Amino acid sequence: YVESDVAAQSVPGKYADLNIYRKKQVDLIPMTIEDAVESLQFLGHDFFMFLDKDSNEIKVVYKRHIAGFGVLTPVFPPSS
């Protein structure tokens, strides 16, 4: 996982009402879901975005409040 403070930017004032104060670019590193969970735990974050090595899809692993972890996979709408 690589996080660059240089890539972090202040979000324009129109988003300040939503309490969004930073925008970051994330390097999508190819890895397995298991590796992504390990990275999430190592970093102490609640979620972690990565490129699934097996499917070549962007995914997010997250820590569930009840127990364990979840995986989000975006589904793009069909093009017209």
Side-chain angles (χ1 to χ4, degrees):
Y1 171 73
V2 177
E3 180 178 323
S4 172
D5 287 333
V6 176
Q9 299 175 336
S10 293
V11 177
K14 67 180 183 176
Y15 296 113
D17 292 344
L18 299 173
N19 292 324
I20 298 172
Y21 296 104
R22 289 180 55 148
K23 178 173 76 171
K24 290 186 178 184
Q25 293 180 342
V26 177
D27 292 326
L28 292 175
I29 300 171
M31 61 179 66
T32 64
I33 292 174
E34 293 81 8
D35 290 338
V37 169
E38 285 181 20
S39 294
L40 176 142
Q41 292 176 309
F42 176 77
L43 294 168
H45 291 171
D46 293 326
F47 65 91
F48 184 81
M49 186 182 339
F50 67 103
L51 186 64
D52 189 313
K53 188 184 243 181
D54 299 324
S55 67
N56 205 35
E57 294 177 319
I58 297 170
K59 295 191 178 180
V60 175
V61 291
Y62 63 95
K63 189 172 184 177
R64 299 186 66 217
H65 291 290
I66 298 170
F69 302 92
V71 179
L72 299 173
T73 304
V75 177
F76 298 98
S79 50
S80 315

Short mmCIF file of all heavy atoms in Angstrom, two decimals, residues 1-13 15-26 45 47:
data_model
loop_
_atom_site.label_atom_id
_atom_site.label_comp_id
_atom_site.label_asym_id
_atom_site.label_seq_id
_atom_site.Cartn_x
_atom_site.Cartn_y
_atom_site.Cartn_z
N TYR A 1 0.85 -1.18 0.00
CA TYR A 1 0.00 0.00 0.00
C TYR A 1 0.88 1.22 0.00
O TYR A 1 1.80 1.33 0.79
CB TYR A 1 -0.92 -0.02 1.22
CG TYR A 1 -1.69 1.25 1.42
CD1 TYR A 1 -2.75 1.56 0.58
CD2 TYR A 1 -1.39 2.11 2.44
CE1 TYR A 1 -3.47 2.72 0.77
CE2 TYR A 1 -2.11 3.26 2.63
CZ TYR A 1 -3.14 3.56 1.80
OH TYR A 1 -3.86 4.68 1.99
N VAL A 2 0.59 2.15 -0.88
CA VAL A 2 1.36 3.39 -0.96
C VAL A 2 0.41 4.56 -0.82
O VAL A 2 -0.57 4.66 -1.55
CB VAL A 2 2.10 3.49 -2.32
CG1 VAL A 2 2.84 4.81 -2.43
CG2 VAL A 2 3.05 2.32 -2.50
N GLU A 3 0.69 5.43 0.12
CA GLU A 3 -0.12 6.63 0.29
C GLU A 3 0.81 7.82 0.18
O GLU A 3 1.82 7.90 0.86
CB GLU A 3 -0.79 6.63 1.66
CG GLU A 3 -1.64 7.86 1.88
CD GLU A 3 -2.34 7.82 3.22
OE1 GLU A 3 -2.76 6.75 3.65
OE2 GLU A 3 -2.45 8.89 3.83
N SER A 4 0.48 8.72 -0.69
CA SER A 4 1.32 9.88 -0.90
C SER A 4 0.62 11.11 -0.37
O SER A 4 -0.48 11.44 -0.79
CB SER A 4 1.60 10.04 -2.40
OG SER A 4 2.26 11.25 -2.64
N ASP A 5 1.26 11.80 0.57
CA ASP A 5 0.69 13.05 1.09
C ASP A 5 0.65 14.11 0.01
O ASP A 5 -0.14 15.02 0.06
CB ASP A 5 1.50 13.55 2.29
CG ASP A 5 1.25 12.71 3.52
OD1 ASP A 5 0.16 12.12 3.62
OD2 ASP A 5 2.15 12.64 4.37
N VAL A 6 1.54 13.99 -0.98
CA VAL A 6 1.56 14.95 -2.07
C VAL A 6 0.26 14.88 -2.85
O VAL A 6 -0.24 15.89 -3.33
CB VAL A 6 2.76 14.68 -3.00
CG1 VAL A 6 2.74 15.60 -4.19
CG2 VAL A 6 4.06 14.80 -2.23
N ALA A 7 -0.33 13.68 -2.96
CA ALA A 7 -1.56 13.50 -3.73
C ALA A 7 -2.79 14.00 -2.96
O ALA A 7 -3.83 14.20 -3.54
CB ALA A 7 -1.74 12.04 -4.11
N ALA A 8 -2.68 14.19 -1.66
CA ALA A 8 -3.82 14.65 -0.87
C ALA A 8 -4.10 16.11 -1.17
O ALA A 8 -3.19 16.92 -1.26
CB ALA A 8 -3.54 14.47 0.62
N GLN A 9 -5.35 16.44 -1.35
CA GLN A 9 -5.74 17.80 -1.68
C GLN A 9 -6.91 18.22 -0.81
O GLN A 9 -7.70 17.39 -0.37
CB GLN A 9 -6.19 17.90 -3.14
CG GLN A 9 -5.15 17.54 -4.14
CD GLN A 9 -5.73 17.55 -5.55
OE1 GLN A 9 -6.93 17.39 -5.74
NE2 GLN A 9 -4.87 17.73 -6.53
N SER A 10 -7.01 19.52 -0.57
CA SER A 10 -8.19 20.03 0.10
C SER A 10 -9.35 19.97 -0.88
O SER A 10 -9.19 20.22 -2.06
CB SER A 10 -7.97 21.48 0.54
OG SER A 10 -6.99 21.54 1.53
N VAL A 11 -10.52 19.63 -0.38
CA VAL A 11 -11.71 19.56 -1.22
C VAL A 11 -12.35 20.94 -1.23
O VAL A 11 -12.42 21.61 -0.20
CB VAL A 11 -12.67 18.49 -0.67
CG1 VAL A 11 -13.95 18.45 -1.47
CG2 VAL A 11 -11.99 17.13 -0.68
N PRO A 12 -12.83 21.40 -2.40
CA PRO A 12 -13.43 22.74 -2.50
C PRO A 12 -14.54 22.98 -1.49
O PRO A 12 -15.17 22.05 -1.00
CB PRO A 12 -13.99 22.76 -3.93
CG PRO A 12 -13.22 21.73 -4.67
CD PRO A 12 -12.83 20.69 -3.65
N GLY A 13 -14.79 24.25 -1.20
CA GLY A 13 -15.75 24.68 -0.19
C GLY A 13 -17.14 24.09 -0.31
O GLY A 13 -17.80 23.89 0.68
N TYR A 15 -18.05 21.21 -0.75
CA TYR A 15 -18.12 19.92 -0.07
C TYR A 15 -17.85 20.03 1.43
O TYR A 15 -18.01 19.08 2.15
CB TYR A 15 -17.15 18.92 -0.69
CG TYR A 15 -17.47 18.59 -2.12
CD1 TYR A 15 -16.62 18.97 -3.15
CD2 TYR A 15 -18.62 17.90 -2.45
CE1 TYR A 15 -16.92 18.68 -4.47
CE2 TYR A 15 -18.93 17.60 -3.77
CZ TYR A 15 -18.07 17.99 -4.77
OH TYR A 15 -18.37 17.71 -6.07
N ALA A 16 -17.44 21.20 1.86
CA ALA A 16 -17.13 21.39 3.29
C ALA A 16 -18.35 21.12 4.16
O ALA A 16 -18.20 20.64 5.28
CB ALA A 16 -16.60 22.80 3.53
N ASP A 17 -19.56 21.39 3.64
CA ASP A 17 -20.78 21.12 4.41
C ASP A 17 -20.95 19.63 4.68
O ASP A 17 -21.66 19.24 5.60
CB ASP A 17 -22.01 21.65 3.68
CG ASP A 17 -22.04 23.17 3.62
OD1 ASP A 17 -21.30 23.81 4.40
OD2 ASP A 17 -22.78 23.71 2.79
N LEU A 18 -20.34 18.80 3.86
CA LEU A 18 -20.43 17.35 4.04
C LEU A 18 -19.31 16.81 4.92
O LEU A 18 -19.18 15.62 5.11
CB LEU A 18 -20.36 16.66 2.67
CG LEU A 18 -21.46 17.00 1.69
CD1 LEU A 18 -21.17 16.37 0.33
CD2 LEU A 18 -22.80 16.52 2.20
N ASN A 19 -18.47 17.71 5.44
CA ASN A 19 -17.31 17.34 6.25
C ASN A 19 -16.31 16.49 5.48
O ASN A 19 -15.68 15.60 6.04
CB ASN A 19 -17.73 16.63 7.54
CG ASN A 19 -18.46 17.57 8.48
OD1 ASN A 19 -18.12 18.74 8.57
ND2 ASN A 19 -19.47 17.07 9.15
N ILE A 20 -16.20 16.74 4.18
CA ILE A 20 -15.18 16.09 3.35
C ILE A 20 -14.08 17.12 3.16
O ILE A 20 -14.28 18.15 2.52
CB ILE A 20 -15.74 15.64 1.99
CG1 ILE A 20 -16.85 14.62 2.21
CG2 ILE A 20 -14.63 15.08 1.11
CD1 ILE A 20 -17.59 14.24 0.96
N TYR A 21 -12.92 16.83 3.72
CA TYR A 21 -11.85 17.82 3.72
C TYR A 21 -10.63 17.39 2.92
O TYR A 21 -9.73 18.18 2.72
CB TYR A 21 -11.42 18.15 5.15
CG TYR A 21 -12.53 18.81 5.92
CD1 TYR A 21 -13.26 18.10 6.87
CD2 TYR A 21 -12.87 20.12 5.67
CE1 TYR A 21 -14.29 18.70 7.56
CE2 TYR A 21 -13.90 20.74 6.37
CZ TYR A 21 -14.60 20.03 7.32
OH TYR A 21 -15.62 20.62 7.99
N ARG A 22 -10.57 16.14 2.49
CA ARG A 22 -9.41 15.68 1.74
C ARG A 22 -9.82 14.78 0.60
O ARG A 22 -10.82 14.08 0.68
CB ARG A 22 -8.44 14.92 2.65
CG ARG A 22 -7.75 15.83 3.63
CD ARG A 22 -6.82 15.09 4.51
NE ARG A 22 -5.86 14.33 3.72
CZ ARG A 22 -4.63 14.08 4.11
NH1 ARG A 22 -4.20 14.53 5.25
NH2 ARG A 22 -3.83 13.36 3.36
N LYS A 23 -9.03 14.84 -0.43
CA LYS A 23 -9.22 13.98 -1.59
C LYS A 23 -7.86 13.36 -1.87
O LYS A 23 -6.85 14.05 -1.89
CB LYS A 23 -9.69 14.83 -2.77
CG LYS A 23 -9.87 14.07 -4.04
CD LYS A 23 -10.50 14.94 -5.12
CE LYS A 23 -9.50 15.90 -5.69
NZ LYS A 23 -9.99 16.62 -6.88
N LYS A 24 -7.83 12.03 -2.04
CA LYS A 24 -6.56 11.33 -2.26
C LYS A 24 -6.65 10.46 -3.49
O LYS A 24 -7.71 9.97 -3.84
CB LYS A 24 -6.22 10.42 -1.08
CG LYS A 24 -5.84 11.14 0.17
CD LYS A 24 -5.38 10.13 1.20
CE LYS A 24 -4.94 10.82 2.47
NZ LYS A 24 -4.41 9.87 3.43
N GLN A 25 -5.51 10.27 -4.09
CA GLN A 25 -5.39 9.28 -5.15
C GLN A 25 -4.77 8.04 -4.52
O GLN A 25 -3.87 8.15 -3.69
CB GLN A 25 -4.50 9.79 -6.28
CG GLN A 25 -5.13 10.95 -7.02
CD GLN A 25 -4.25 11.45 -8.14
OE1 GLN A 25 -3.06 11.18 -8.18
NE2 GLN A 25 -4.85 12.18 -9.05
N VAL A 26 -5.28 6.88 -4.89
CA VAL A 26 -4.84 5.62 -4.30
C VAL A 26 -4.19 4.77 -5.37
O VAL A 26 -4.77 4.57 -6.44
CB VAL A 26 -6.04 4.87 -3.68
CG1 VAL A 26 -5.63 3.53 -3.12
CG2 VAL A 26 -6.72 5.71 -2.62
N HIS A 45 -6.79 0.46 9.41
CA HIS A 45 -7.88 1.18 8.76
C HIS A 45 -9.18 0.39 8.85
O HIS A 45 -9.19 -0.80 9.17
CB HIS A 45 -7.55 1.42 7.29
CG HIS A 45 -6.43 2.40 7.08
ND1 HIS A 45 -5.87 2.61 5.86
CD2 HIS A 45 -5.77 3.20 7.95
CE1 HIS A 45 -4.92 3.52 5.97
NE2 HIS A 45 -4.83 3.88 7.22
N PHE A 47 -11.21 0.34 6.11
CA PHE A 47 -11.42 -0.16 4.76
C PHE A 47 -10.12 -0.05 3.97
O PHE A 47 -9.20 0.68 4.36
CB PHE A 47 -12.55 0.61 4.05
CG PHE A 47 -12.22 2.06 3.82
CD1 PHE A 47 -11.61 2.47 2.64
CD2 PHE A 47 -12.52 3.00 4.78
CE1 PHE A 47 -11.30 3.80 2.44
CE2 PHE A 47 -12.22 4.34 4.59
CZ PHE A 47 -11.60 4.73 3.41
#
